[in-house]
Amino acid sequence: MNDQTVGFPDVSREQEPKFRVRARHTASTVTVYQAYDPRIGLAAARGGRFPAAWKRDRMTWIKPSFLWMMYRCGWGAKEGQETVLAVEITREGFEWALRHACLSHYVPELHADQAEWKRQLRHAPARVQWDPERDLHLNPLPYRSLQLGLGGEAAERYADEWIVGIEDVTPLAKQVHAHVRVGELTRAAALLPAERPYPVAEKTVSRLRR
């Protein structure tokens, strides 16, 4: 039987704060998602590390939200994003990136002026932006999902130090999408990775929540 009432992750939209880090995590790791051309993605999944063709000098964006990744890559159907990866990284590395991050946009309440924000952006090895979380139909929800951009030192640390494992979750993306297409939303939701609130220190996120 089709279930048209389940369209979003297992969390109350009324109780969910607008800005919160949610992720699949253990006592020592956090899972983030990326999507790549199969040439990069499949090699990364096989070797547990990004191959030499992966460009270290570019900003790379990691996403703790599986459904936001599905929105970004079109369930793995967009050109150049056909391989969806779940990248398990150390919590130590994830939190280092947050501590050293700058917001990707200017906020008067958080920055002295635009010049100061631009200075921070130039020197920060990581940047944060908040985009609407998505439901199973990839429609926007009223609360935000963290996107974390890594460049320079952060990208190097990510590739060389933080990664614990890389899994090709393209089959999972296709399976969830297949259930969504025929209206089996309860079955689709049951397959989603369990993303829970991630305990980030208030002083770390207070300057990043806008």
Side-chain angles (χ1 to χ4, degrees), residues 91-166:
R91 286 176 64 152
E92 180 182 6
F94 183 68
E95 292 171 17
W96 184 94
L98 287 176
R99 289 196 306 272
H100 292 82
C102 173
L103 271 177
S104 62
H105 62 282
Y106 169 65
V107 177
E109 294 84 358
L110 296 178
H111 306 110
D113 51 40
Q114 286 203 359
E116 171 60 20
W117 165 70
K118 289 181 180 178
R119 186 195 67 78
Q120 291 182 22
L121 198 64
R122 277 197 310 272
H123 294 287
R127 59 188 60 177
V128 160
Q129 67 183 45
W130 299 89
D131 295 294
E133 179 59 280
R134 301 285 159 166
D135 65 15
L136 281 166
H137 294 295
L138 306 185
N139 296 318
L141 292 170
Y143 50 89
R144 300 273 170 159
S145 178
L146 174 79
Q147 320 302 323
L148 186 57
L150 308 175
E153 182 184 358
E156 294 281 349
R157 286 174 177 252
Y158 174 61
D160 296 334
E161 301 174 16
W162 301 346
I163 294 175
V164 174
I166 302 178

Side-chain angles (χ1 to χ4, degrees), residues 27-47:
S28 59
T29 65
V30 184
T31 298
V32 296
Y33 299 94
Q34 296 191 285
Y36 287 98
D37 180 284
R39 183 174 60 95
I40 300 291
L42 294 178
R46 284 195 301 268

